[in-house]
Amino acid sequence: LFTLQSWAHYFLGGVHYQWNELDAAERHFSAILDNRYTAVAIVVREGLSCLAEVYQHRGKDAKALRIVDLLGELDREQLGHEDESTRALRARLLLLRGDLRGAARWATAYDAPIPDRPLVWRYNPHLIKAQILLAAGEDDDVRSARQILDALDEIAERTHNTRAKIELLATRALTMHLAG
């Protein structure tokens, strides 16, 4: 029952987030936080990642970082180390806060190849890296971001992933704008 409820909170939180109903999104994602030990791990990861972003958009920087720290603790409990997606989320929050230097430190160090698998979840480390590179705005960074986006776009196209395709097209438009 808790698993089903957690999935429902995740999906409803996502709908409210997309509609910019941040109070409702926060309530649903917070319910996942409250049940993080009884919910499916991927729902916890994605729900808490979304909650961190909701907090960030609402100006609750300390709460957003606390959620990322909590994700890191869960990673260490389950994996023995902090997952790269948690580090990517931390970098994304730094970028949203205007700390390009802090975000770029992670992006520079992140060099994992793009896996050839569907883009199911919202917080893809490669897409976050591309967004950080675009924010840096240097010609080499924009070219690197474009290569990442091309690879992700091919996966989204092949797997018929409309949600990922929309996000990639928006990011690609920014890339094209920066490239003139």
Side-chain angles (χ1 to χ4, degrees):
L1 182 62
F2 289 122
T3 299
L4 186 57
Q5 287 174 344
S6 295
W7 276 105
H9 283 298
Y10 172 68
F11 287 116
L12 289 170
V15 167
H16 288 291
Y17 180 80
Q18 292 299 318
W19 290 345
N20 200 32
E21 296 172 351
L22 298 183
D23 288 337
E26 183 177 332
R27 275 194 311 278
H28 284 290
F29 294 135
S30 292
I32 295 169
L33 174 64
D34 295 340
N35 295 300
R36 66 186 173 276
Y37 294 109
T38 57
V40 175
I42 195 65
V43 173
V44 173
R45 166 162 296 288
E46 290 296 307
L48 294 186
S49 297
C50 291
L51 180 59
E53 191 157 312
V54 167
Y55 283 150
Q56 188 67 45
H57 286 305
R58 300 185 86 191
K60 299 176 181 181
D61 297 358
K63 281 188 168 191
L65 285 178
R66 176 64 191 124
I67 294 297
V68 176
D69 289 342
L70 179 62
L71 274 171
E73 291 171 19
L74 291 171
D75 289 345
R76 286 186 289 283
E77 288 173 9
Q78 296 169 359
L79 306 171
H81 65 279
E82 188 171 81
D83 190 78
E84 198 61 52
S85 60
T86 301
R87 291 184 189 123
L89 177 61
R90 187 176 286 112
R92 178 170 169 70
L93 295 180
L94 290 172
L95 179 64
L96 290 173
R97 192 179 308 136
D99 183 357
L100 180 57
R101 185 174 295 187
R105 275 193 298 275
W106 170 82
T108 300
Y110 184 65
D111 63 356
I114 297 173
D116 187 17
R117 64 176 184 236
L119 307 170
V120 179
W121 307 108
R122 178 165 162 67
Y123 297 95
N124 181 297
H126 293 92
L127 179 58
I128 292 170
K129 179 176 180 167
Q131 292 166 341
I132 292 168
L133 291 170
L134 290 174
E138 300 295 325
D139 289 343
D140 287 345
D141 294 330
V142 173
R143 274 192 293 280
S144 294
R146 188 177 230 161
Q147 290 171 346
I148 293 168
L149 293 172
D150 287 345
L152 294 174
D153 187 57
E154 190 277 322
I155 294 168
E157 185 71 29
R158 185 168 27 89
T159 59
H160 308 285
N161 187 330
T162 304
R163 182 207 47 85
K165 191 76 170 159
I166 291 168
E167 188 170 11
L168 289 165
L169 286 171
T171 308
R172 184 182 298 279
L174 179 59
T175 306
M176 294 172 82
H177 174 74
L178 291 171

